[in-house]
Amino acid sequence: MKLVANLKLTPTPAQERELRLTLARCNEACNWLSERAWETKTFRQYDLHKLCYQAVHAKFALSAQVAVRCIAKVAHAYKLDQKTQRAFRKHAAHPYDDRILRFVCDEKVSLWLLSGREKIGYVGSDHQRQLLEHRKGEVDLMFVRGQWYLAAVCDFDDPKLLTPEGMLGVDFGIVNIATDSLGERHCGAKVQAYRERYAKRRATLQRLGTRAAKRCLRHISGRQKRFQKYENHCISKRIVSTAERSRLGIGLEDLKHIRARVKANKAQRKRLHNWGFGQLRAFIEYKAKQTGVPVVTVDPRDTSKECFACGCIDKRNRKTQSEFRYVECGHSNHADHNAAGNIARRAAVTQPMFAHKCAPCAVESRLL
């Protein structure tokens, strides 16, 4: 399992100047390499290294290993396709490996810069320090909104999956971001209020169009996104903790391509396209993987119309957004809670194969 530890660097003013110059020089070299790769149609790392290594090493006064990292960065950028020429921003993130970066004692990291090796302090939480014990591979140097960060990839073994005693269904929504089959609802009112406030503020500043307004727009850029991400982290943590504590697996809706399938008016589209269900699902999956809780995805079709008590489906069952009352058996419940119960039931039927003590037993269990 791979996780990323983001460490905030605390450079001195002189070190910050060197960091800026180093990142700008590396990305300048990457743009030059990208031009050569595009002109000669040379996109494989080995071929590009053979073609440009000596030239980029001498032209930009880079150390040998930094030149190698620049070539690898450009070759990796062309792996997706070779239809357009790649370009790199002046302060785009740049990879470092163990030959040009080393973590030292007293919470410092030794980095290669244009002026030579520099020891720069960093800060991180206890959780991030624990992750660093499993650091493996490259570390990216990033300049984000005036701050310097290191993104270290940490690779460690997956914990053993627990054998669930049942499934915890989770229904995603807009009014209630998530509702589980135990009845706990995570309301989206706070996120919606935050979104409306910043949408109104952005519209006002865009109408003004002054330099001060544009400066303010840059200042508040990304706040809504970061707040929604924080809320999704909190909700996913509570859902996984509930499942782990109750020894339950987690059943999730497979909502892929829902924005293309759902028809909505203009006002509803704005809320639908701001819905972060994909991010929330990803957070639940990786947090569940950390704790050994199995996750199953199910088809969400008709879960909001199906009666959890008798299993009959009728669109008249959903009286309002929150009220569910089956027209035949009279079963009533909160609509999202009812849907979460249906998801849990479907997930229990489609549970994956769990690891047994020995390989022959695992093979035998698949054949039964």
Side-chain angles (χ1 to χ4, degrees):
M1 181 179 180
K2 289 183 173 62
L3 290 177
V4 177
N6 284 320
L7 307 171
K8 184 178 179 180
L9 295 178
T10 55
T12 64
Q15 289 174 334
E16 187 170 3
R17 284 194 297 272
E18 288 301 320
L19 283 168
R20 285 176 180 267
L21 290 172
T22 301
L23 210 54
R25 180 74 62 83
C26 289
N27 284 296
E28 185 183 354
C30 288
N31 282 322
W32 183 83
L33 285 165
S34 182
E35 290 175 4
R36 304 287 85 72
W38 182 255
E39 289 170 359
T40 60
K41 300 300 178 186
T42 305
F43 302 115
R44 289 179 66 242
Q45 182 176 342
Y46 176 82
D47 298 334
L48 190 60
H49 182 103
K50 191 173 181 180
L51 178 68
C52 299
Y53 170 74
Q54 295 292 344
V56 73
H57 181 39
K59 182 178 178 66
F60 296 96
L62 301 175
S63 73
Q65 194 60 23
V66 174
V68 170
R69 289 297 97 216
C70 289
I71 293 168
K73 178 179 172 180
V74 173
H76 183 75
Y78 280 105
K79 279 188 176 180
L80 179 63
D81 63 63
Q82 292 91 40
K83 296 178 182 178
T84 56
Q85 182 178 337
R86 300 294 189 269
F88 301 89
R89 292 178 289 106
K90 182 178 181 180
H91 293 129
H94 191 74
Y96 277 67
D97 61 21
D98 288 340
R99 295 187 180 185
I100 47 179
L101 176 145
R102 183 168 58 90
F103 285 92
V104 295
C105 60
D106 300 327
E107 295 190 345
K108 289 188 177 180
V109 61
S110 174
L111 284 170
W112 178 90
L113 300 176
L114 289 174
S115 59
R117 282 272 184 169
E118 286 283 349
K119 289 183 179 179
I120 303 174
Y122 67 86
V123 292
S125 65
D126 293 337
H127 174 66
Q128 290 169 327
R129 293 190 189 94
Q130 290 173 3
L131 288 179
L132 279 180
E133 296 175 4
H134 305 274
R135 185 180 69 85
K136 185 177 181 181
E138 296 178 352
V139 175
D140 287 339
L141 175 65
M142 305 184 299
F143 184 60
V144 183
R145 299 176 64 85
Q147 301 292 336
W148 293 92
Y149 296 91
L150 290 177
V153 178
C154 307
D155 191 1
F156 50 90
D157 296 334
D158 295 344
K160 184 180 178 181
L161 284 178
L162 62 84
T163 302
E165 298 173 0
M167 299 300 293
L168 180 72
V170 180
D171 177 66
F172 294 144
I174 297 176
V175 175
N176 293 310
I177 297 176
T179 305
D180 65 38
S181 53
L182 296 180
E184 185 177 1
R185 293 194 296 272
H186 305 277
C187 184
K190 191 188 297 184
V191 173
Q192 181 60 23
Y194 206 89
R195 184 184 301 143
E196 289 175 355
R197 185 168 84 241
Y198 274 91
K200 188 180 293 185
R201 191 173 179 185
R202 284 195 300 270
T204 303
L205 291 169
Q206 287 166 354
R207 278 197 304 271
L208 285 173
T210 61
R211 289 176 63 185
K214 292 177 182 177
R215 186 166 60 246
C216 189
L217 279 169
R218 286 194 299 270
H219 181 68
I220 67 173
S221 173
R223 282 193 183 180
Q224 175 194 320
K225 181 180 178 181
R226 291 194 296 275
F227 177 76
Q228 191 161 336
K229 183 178 180 181
Y230 168 77
E231 285 292 309
N232 284 339
H233 267 301
C234 293
I235 292 169
S236 60
K237 185 176 181 179
R238 289 200 293 270
I239 289 172
V240 173
S241 297
T242 300
E244 184 185 16
R245 187 171 58 252
S246 306
R247 295 194 63 79
L248 298 173
I250 298 176
L252 301 177
E253 301 174 277
D254 185 4
L255 296 176
K256 192 174 182 180
H257 305 308
I258 189 172
R259 292 188 178 93
R261 298 197 308 266
V262 173
K263 294 181 180 179
N265 59 38
K266 186 176 181 180
Q268 291 173 327
R269 282 199 300 271
K270 189 177 291 185
R271 294 189 69 180
L272 182 65
H273 288 285
N274 272 287
W275 187 21
F277 69 88
Q279 185 185 70
L280 177 57
R281 174 180 163 176
F283 288 171
I284 291 173
E285 287 177 341
Y286 96 77
K287 285 178 169 63
K289 195 173 183 181
Q290 275 185 288
T291 56
V293 175
V295 176
V296 179
T297 56
V298 300
D299 184 359
R301 187 173 302 174
D302 295 327
T303 51
S304 61
K305 303 175 187 176
E306 182 180 351
C307 177
F308 179 70
C310 65
C312 295
I313 299 173
D314 194 318
K315 64 181 180 181
R316 295 176 297 169
N317 294 342
R318 189 78 178 257
K319 300 293 183 182
T320 63
Q321 185 279 325
S322 61
E323 182 186 1
F324 183 94
R325 183 182 296 276
Y326 185 50
V327 294
E328 296 294 334
C329 71
H331 168 72
S332 63
N333 198 349
H334 191 283
D336 293 338
H337 186 198
N338 180 82
N342 291 326
I343 292 166
R345 182 162 54 194
R346 293 185 188 187
V349 175
T350 57
Q351 285 187 31
M353 296 293 182
F354 300 106
H356 290 259
K357 290 184 179 179
C358 61
C361 293
V363 173
E364 185 180 352
S365 66
R366 294 190 191 98
L367 296 175
L368 293 177

